[in-house]
Amino acid sequence: MMMEKMRAKSNGLKRVVAGVAALVMIGGLAACGNAGSDSGDASANADGTIEVVASINQWGSVARDLGGDKVDVKSIMTATNVEAHDYEPTSSDIAAFSKAQVAVINGADYDSWASKAADSTKATVVDAAETAGKKDGDNPHVWFSHDVREKTADAITAAYVKALPDQKEYFEQQHEAWEEKEQAVEDKIDAAKATTEGVPYAASESVAWYLADDLGMTDATTDGYKNASANESEPSPADIKAFVDALESGSIKTFVLNTQEEDSTTKQLIAAAKKGSVPTVELTEQMPKEYDDLTDWMGALVDDFAAAVK
Ligand SMILES: [Zn+2]
């Protein structure tokens, strides 16, 4: 596959990879191929790559960008039409964690199943929320935050260097290339701020709160609804009415709709936004397939917000 082609380009690289592979094969034999048993310092797959598992595809894409052809990344949650907050892992999802050398989880109670699965393994765990000091109870949609993306990328690169110290330089180059892309998103955010700063928006779910915050927008979601949504409880009819009234009145300038968490209530909100001529930004929890990676997706969403506010 692509990995093989890229490796074939460099003979020197090929030799290093072959050396690592030989070491791992010895370790693998001694350990009877049981990934969970004591395999000493074996830090790579038989082909010299680091086995990485990510609970959600947005972080999986960052792990792939940073690891290049030295990693084999498996993302568990990739669909944009399933309940993201109550995901039930399959046994093969859990097995992917036991095989991994690096596990990237979101944290902040978004994917507690993944934290649990990772805890019982020897994998180096990167908890995205934790890298930026976010805890259970904080808004868990941390991939929308520039700050969290930066800190998570740092932690992933550190985990890769720990797993394959010989490839430090390679991982640093990958990191620099990623930084350039993230900086482009940051530049886009700064440019968009000219129109988005201070603009009141409301959201069906606090999914893009960090991005809206980076854009300097004001969360004008009515309190009752917002609190119910944050606690994953049903908003009361009065909460919904207050939100509907606010949308219809035109005081809210952008409506953010999480299409991955739609129900009868969000249908009412969509109708109200239409009635109040409030532009709507639609988005999902997991990264849609048409995007290459998290920075690509975030860049597109910044454009969507800027276009809605205009
Ligand atoms: Zn959510």
Side-chain angles (χ1 to χ4, degrees):
M1 293 194 323
M2 190 166 75
M3 229 178 270
E4 300 301 324
K5 254 184 273 162
M6 290 178 75
R7 194 170 297 140
K9 275 185 203 160
S10 156
N11 281 331
L13 192 56
K14 207 171 178 182
R15 238 176 288 131
V16 171
V17 170
V20 172
L23 279 175
V24 170
M25 275 172 71
I26 295 163
L29 285 173
C32 305
N34 185 344
S37 67
D38 187 12
S39 50
D41 290 331
S43 57
N45 280 331
D47 67 352
T49 57
I50 304 171
E51 185 86 20
V52 184
V53 65
S55 58
I56 55 179
N57 70 348
Q58 44 276 60
W59 290 127
S61 75
V62 176
R64 200 190 55 217
D65 285 352
L66 293 169
D69 63 355
K70 301 278 179 288
V71 299
D72 189 6
V73 181
K74 179 182 170 60
S75 293
I76 307 287
M77 290 171 65
T78 57
T80 53
N81 59 353
V82 293
E83 237 299 328
H85 290 262
D86 299 308
Y87 181 72
E88 298 276 353
T90 65
S91 52
S92 81
D93 293 342
I94 303 297
F97 277 86
S98 66
K99 277 192 297 186
Q101 293 154 269
V102 175
V104 185
I105 64 170
N106 186 73
D109 208 22
Y110 187 75
D111 48 2
S112 49
W113 59 270
S115 317
K116 254 179 251 157
D119 274 352
S120 58
T121 71
K122 286 189 169 178
T124 302
V125 180
V126 174
D127 179 320
E130 205 177 83
T131 63
K134 309 272 185 239
K135 303 174 293 291
D136 290 7
D138 289 339
N139 185 319
H141 309 95
V142 293
W143 58 91
F144 285 97
S145 158
H146 168 66
D147 179 49
V148 179
R149 288 194 296 276
E150 289 279 358
K151 287 174 174 153
T152 303
D154 288 349
I156 293 172
T157 296
Y160 288 169
V161 171
K162 187 181 156 205
L164 282 183
D166 288 357
Q167 300 297 332
K168 186 169 189 270
E169 213 171 298
Y170 175 84
F171 291 127
E172 281 169 356
Q173 283 167 5
Q174 293 295 115
H175 194 92
E176 246 168 70
W178 180 86
E179 278 292 350
E180 262 173 49
K181 292 202 291 184
E182 180 62 29
Q183 187 55 47
V185 175
E186 186 64 355
D187 292 346
K188 221 176 224 244
I189 288 171
D190 285 343
K193 264 187 175 172
T195 46
T196 56
E197 185 104 64
V199 172
Y201 77 99
S204 69
E205 199 229 357
S206 63
V207 61
W209 187 90
Y210 291 106
L211 178 58
D213 190 53
D214 283 349
L215 287 163
M217 297 176 76
T218 312
D219 186 358
T221 312
T222 46
D223 285 338
Y225 181 95
K226 189 161 54 180
N227 294 338
S229 168
N231 298 326
E232 289 192 50
S233 58
E234 286 296 314
S236 72
D239 293 338
I240 298 169
K241 185 174 185 302
F243 197 171
V244 164
D245 288 348
L247 284 168
E248 289 180 355
S249 77
S251 64
I252 289 164
K253 300 304 175 197
T254 303
F255 175 54
V256 179
L257 175 68
N258 179 1
T259 59
Q260 199 166 331
E261 308 275 338
E262 275 192 282
D263 55 25
S264 59
T265 303
T266 56
K267 287 198 177 76
Q268 282 175 264
L269 299 175
I270 293 164
K274 207 169 265 174
K275 206 166 164 189
S277 303
V278 185
T280 300
V281 172
E282 288 190 6
L283 44 78
T284 50
E285 303 258 344
Q286 270 60 68
M287 184 175 75
K289 284 187 176 56
E290 63 260 40
Y291 299 106
D292 291 338
D293 56 29
L294 183 57
T295 46
D296 186 23
W297 182 32
M298 288 301 118
L301 281 176
V302 172
D303 291 342
D304 287 351
F305 271 95
V309 167
K310 259 180 206 164

